Amino acid sequence: MMKKYSAVVIGGGSAGLAAGITLKENGIEDVLVIEKDDMVGGILNQCIHNGFGLHTFKEQMSGPAYAERFKVRAEEVGLNIKLKTMVTHIHEDRTIEYVNPQEGYVTIQADAIILAVGCYERNRGALAIPGQRPAGVYTAGQAQRYLNIDGYQVGSRVFILGSGDIGLIMARRMMLEGAKVYGVAEIMPYSNGLPRNIKQCLEDYDIPLYLSHTVTNIYGKDRLERIEVSKVDEKLRPIKGTEMYFDVDTLLLSVGLIPENHLGDEAGIAMDPRIKGPSVDENYMCSIEGFFACGNGLHVHDLVDYVTLQAQRAAMGAVHYLKNGKPQEKECRVMPGKGVLYTVPNRIHPHNIDKTVEFFFRINEPVDEAVITVRCGERVLRQVKKKYLVPSVMERMMFTAKQLADIDGDITFEMEAVSHDE
Amino acid sequence: MTNKVLTCVGCPAGCRINVEMEGDEIRTITGNTCPVGEQYARQEAVCPMRILTSTVRITGCPYRVLPVTTDREIPLASVDEVMEIIRSTVVKAPVSFEQVLIENVLGTGANVIASKSMPAA
């Protein structure tokens, strides 16, 4: 007999723990959380730096401390978690195949599946950096794990490509561990990291940030010996004659994160190409009934607090589904317009909204001041002025069910920069 | 009159704060959007303070290192010296969450505490 669960959460990181706890707290008894690592907490375990939890706990804490709070709560509610267990396949009929050392290969059935699978890092192959292929070129998160969990010094002379938050945080971390960090190169004319990380990770340690620069060659036979860094033009093409050379033994890549969606893809879940994760509605339900997605496996977040919040909402969506079935109401698309990269959710059932729905979105370039307009056709639903917008900071906007009750078409989010030249 | 532009590290918003100083005296603080920003700017202009996080060696469990943090901010200028102490510290499992591992590190008034619990093997 195939074992059956009301809800199975795939992933025991920040999203999976929050989802599992919320399901238990709302009367769903037989919940299973499946985690491939030997501890819960996911990426939080290696994010030993401070700054998590300001929204959730009203104080700043380290990543492991944030995870610890959820681990304790999971124990309190009696959440069933399988560690060292890898999900190999999920199917449209909501069967799940997993494997672990105790049980071997197992197939189970779930009424609802929450994908809380996290994301992976873009690597050297994704960038196609020319040159030799020595050891010493790591993604920033990989190096972070080696250093902060496994306890190995990753290198002593370091350069970092990409100014994403993990890259910035690793720059400081490597300096603290006695390495010399020569610089951070960013191909864009602006950083993709949070402003506070530019300040406390680079400026505090006098690490130069080379904007509009990228790595154009890699040298080294066994271990990395040298890299070539070039300035790029406005079309991001390297400019000849601008080459600089750094004799480093370690190159860290912090060049973007992508939702881990191979399980969902295989099951036939529709993806939103803008977020590279599943298309979801106001309850975080995917295109296939009974599947839900949240956290970095849905779209990459900059704050764990929002991952927690989203996972709780996805869990409530699953609770709603388990009790009431799938929404029968009319569906409207929610789309990014001019100046906006994506919106999550990207579709809603306006008559199925329970009290409120919050939209997450990102703008496409840094602006000092902008007007955000949310419209349905010609009708403006909301217009707000905002200051200092950057793509690396996710924007949020909340609507009540009442405000969206008489929507009769697609909703568009637009951003227009305010010019002060006149 | 000198003008300092600071990026607040108090939260992810990263407000740009303008501090007008006359010698060592703060005249005006503008650009912050909450009281945390004002407090940060007041401190940052005279003596920058930071939370320091790192790892210490641990024995008696399957892991080689344990994540740690200072339980309050320490002067940025003393970070290198505190790191030397942290790097030479070895603790033994079990360790409980927020257990004090180094008391009043370098006389800063801050303790170095465990960021997570670690049961013995």
Side-chain angles (χ1 to χ4, degrees):
Chain A
M1 256 296 272
M2 203 189 292
K3 198 160 166 46
K4 207 170 172 309
Y5 293 90
S6 292
V8 172
V9 181
I10 303 177
S14 45
L17 284 178
I21 292 165
T22 301
L23 288 164
K24 291 288 277 189
E25 285 173 342
N26 286 276
I28 310 298
E29 278 307 315
D30 53 337
V31 178
L32 173 66
V33 175
I34 303 178
E35 167 56 44
K36 67 182 175 207
D37 210 339
D38 59 0
M39 55 180 153
V40 293
I43 202 76
L44 285 168
N45 289 310
Q46 66 185 63
C47 295
I48 62 163
H49 53 278
N50 187 56
F52 300 90
L54 198 57
H55 296 271
T56 312
F57 297 113
K58 308 293 168 223
E59 57 177 297
Q60 303 214 48
M61 57 185 78
S62 71
Y66 190 94
E68 184 96 14
R69 299 228 179 172
F70 282 88
K71 192 179 140 196
V72 168
R73 183 66 191 145
E75 281 162 16
E76 282 169 7
V77 299
L79 189 59
N80 182 11
I81 302 170
K82 283 187 193 294
L83 296 173
K84 292 193 197 173
T85 302
M86 184 81 182
V87 172
T88 52
H89 302 282
I90 55 175
H91 302 278
E92 198 178 342
D93 61 2
R94 294 192 297 277
T95 51
I96 298 168
E97 297 170 40
Y98 68 77
V99 58
N100 69 29
Q102 291 76 38
E103 302 167 87
Y105 204 100
V106 180
T107 305
I108 56 171
Q109 172 77 51
D111 291 331
I113 295 176
I114 298 186
L115 298 167
V117 289
C119 57
Y120 65 93
E121 300 178 275
R122 292 181 73 218
N123 56 24
R124 183 180 172 185
L127 300 182
I129 306 173
Q132 291 169 289
R133 307 178 70 83
V137 182
Y138 307 102
T139 56
Q142 184 183 11
Q144 192 180 40
R145 184 177 174 105
Y146 290 156
L147 183 57
N148 293 344
I149 293 182
D150 301 334
Y152 296 105
Q153 175 63 295
V154 182
S156 54
R157 289 171 288 118
V158 184
F159 195 87
I160 295 169
L161 175 59
S163 61
D165 287 307
I166 312 172
L168 301 177
I169 281 157
M170 278 306 288
R172 172 179 61 183
R173 184 77 188 105
M174 299 289 286
M175 285 292 269
L176 288 175
E177 286 298 335
K180 166 92 180 130
V181 179
Y182 286 80
V184 176
E186 168 60 56
I187 196 166
M188 301 303 286
Y190 53 86
S191 166
N192 279 311
L194 292 173
R196 70 166 176 186
N197 286 333
I198 302 280
K199 171 74 190 97
Q200 62 189 354
C201 298
L202 298 189
E203 291 172 17
D204 277 4
Y205 296 89
D206 296 319
I207 300 169
L209 173 61
Y210 300 97
L211 294 174
S212 297
H213 280 76
T214 193
V215 173
T216 44
N217 215 335
I218 288 174
Y219 308 91
K221 192 168 161 290
D222 298 316
R223 180 78 192 195
L224 179 65
E225 288 163 16
R226 164 178 275 205
I227 58 162
E228 178 189 86
V229 175
S230 304
K231 199 172 177 2
V232 298
D233 64 19
E234 62 280 1
K235 286 188 176 147
L236 310 182
R237 294 171 305 199
I239 303 170
K240 259 208 150 45
T242 62
E243 297 86 356
M244 295 186 285
Y245 295 90
F246 295 91
D247 291 336
V248 291
D249 59 19
T250 305
L251 173 65
L252 301 186
L253 306 175
S254 176
V255 290
L257 303 168
I258 302 172
E260 174 57 77
N261 53 29
H262 77 272
L263 285 176
D265 245 347
E266 195 195 33
I269 289 170
M271 298 291 158
D272 176 352
R274 300 178 192 97
I275 56 174
K276 299 183 177 70
S279 155
V280 293
D281 69 8
E282 69 283 355
N283 282 332
Y284 291 91
M285 184 141 94
C286 305
S287 63
I288 302 178
E289 185 180 337
F291 282 85
F292 298 80
C294 56
N296 284 345
L298 172 58
H299 63 123
V300 175
H301 292 65
D302 29 75
L303 297 184
V304 70
D305 302 79
Y306 297 154
V307 169
T308 300
L309 190 70
Q310 189 174 67
Q312 289 164 340
R313 288 179 183 156
M316 287 314 293
V319 170
H320 184 79
Y321 167 75
L322 290 170
K323 288 179 181 158
N324 307 311
K326 100 181 214 214
Q328 301 300 325
E329 295 86 355
K330 191 173 88 112
E331 186 175 286
C332 299
R333 289 185 297 175
V334 183
M335 296 189 301
K338 203 180 120 203
V340 176
L341 289 172
Y342 69 73
T343 61
V344 172
N346 73 346
R347 53 199 169 83
I348 56 166
H349 304 86
H351 300 286
N352 183 48
I353 294 165
D354 178 35
K355 296 193 192 83
T356 58
V357 58
E358 186 168 42
F359 295 98
F360 295 98
F361 61 100
R362 279 185 203 277
I363 57 141
N364 68 350
E365 60 175 353
V367 283
D368 282 345
E369 195 173 353
V371 176
I372 309 283
T373 308
V374 185
R375 63 169 80 239
C376 176
E378 288 306 298
R379 191 174 142 209
V380 173
L381 302 173
R382 189 169 303 165
Q383 195 156 51
V384 285
K385 216 174 226 188
K386 287 203 158 200
K387 275 193 160 178
Y388 306 125
L389 296 171
V390 283
S392 58
V393 177
M394 199 164 67
E395 298 295 324
R396 306 184 297 158
M397 213 178 265
M398 184 84 95
F399 283 85
T400 63
K402 212 174 140 196
Q403 286 167 329
L404 298 175
D406 52 351
I407 290 297
D408 51 6
D410 296 344
I411 298 171
T412 317
F413 280 66
E414 293 163 7
M415 184 276 294
E416 187 152 25
V418 177
S419 146
H420 289 288
D421 298 342
E422 313 133 59
Chain B
M1 201 87 103
T2 53
N3 211 23
K4 281 189 185 177
V5 182
L6 307 172
T7 304
C8 182
V9 301
C11 88
C15 290
R16 295 178 212 181
I17 306 177
N18 242 302
V19 183
E20 259 183 14
M21 310 220 8
E22 205 166 303
D24 287 340
E25 254 183 57
I26 296 168
R27 290 285 172 214
T28 61
I29 296 174
T30 51
N32 58 303
T33 51
C34 80
V36 174
E38 185 182 329
Q39 209 184 339
Y40 168 79
R42 213 164 272 287
Q43 184 65 56
E44 187 73 7
V46 284
C47 173
M49 302 284 283
R50 298 286 183 268
I51 293 280
L52 176 64
T53 65
S54 187
T55 55
V56 296
R57 290 276 152 197
I58 188 163
T59 59
C61 71
Y63 299 95
R64 288 155 56 97
V65 289
L66 174 76
V68 297
T69 181
T70 56
D71 61 359
R72 64 175 68 185
E73 293 178 325
I74 60 168
L76 180 59
S78 64
V79 160
D80 285 348
E81 268 181 277
V82 172
M83 271 308 295
E84 270 176 46
I85 297 169
I86 287 176
R87 273 202 294 267
S88 61
T89 300
V90 182
V91 299
K92 198 172 178 327
V95 171
S96 59
F97 180 47
E98 296 188 334
Q99 184 180 322
V100 174
L101 304 171
I102 309 168
E103 219 171 307
N104 186 17
V105 66
L106 202 72
T108 56
N111 302 315
V112 174
I113 62 171
S115 287
K116 70 182 288 180
S117 59
M118 189 70 88

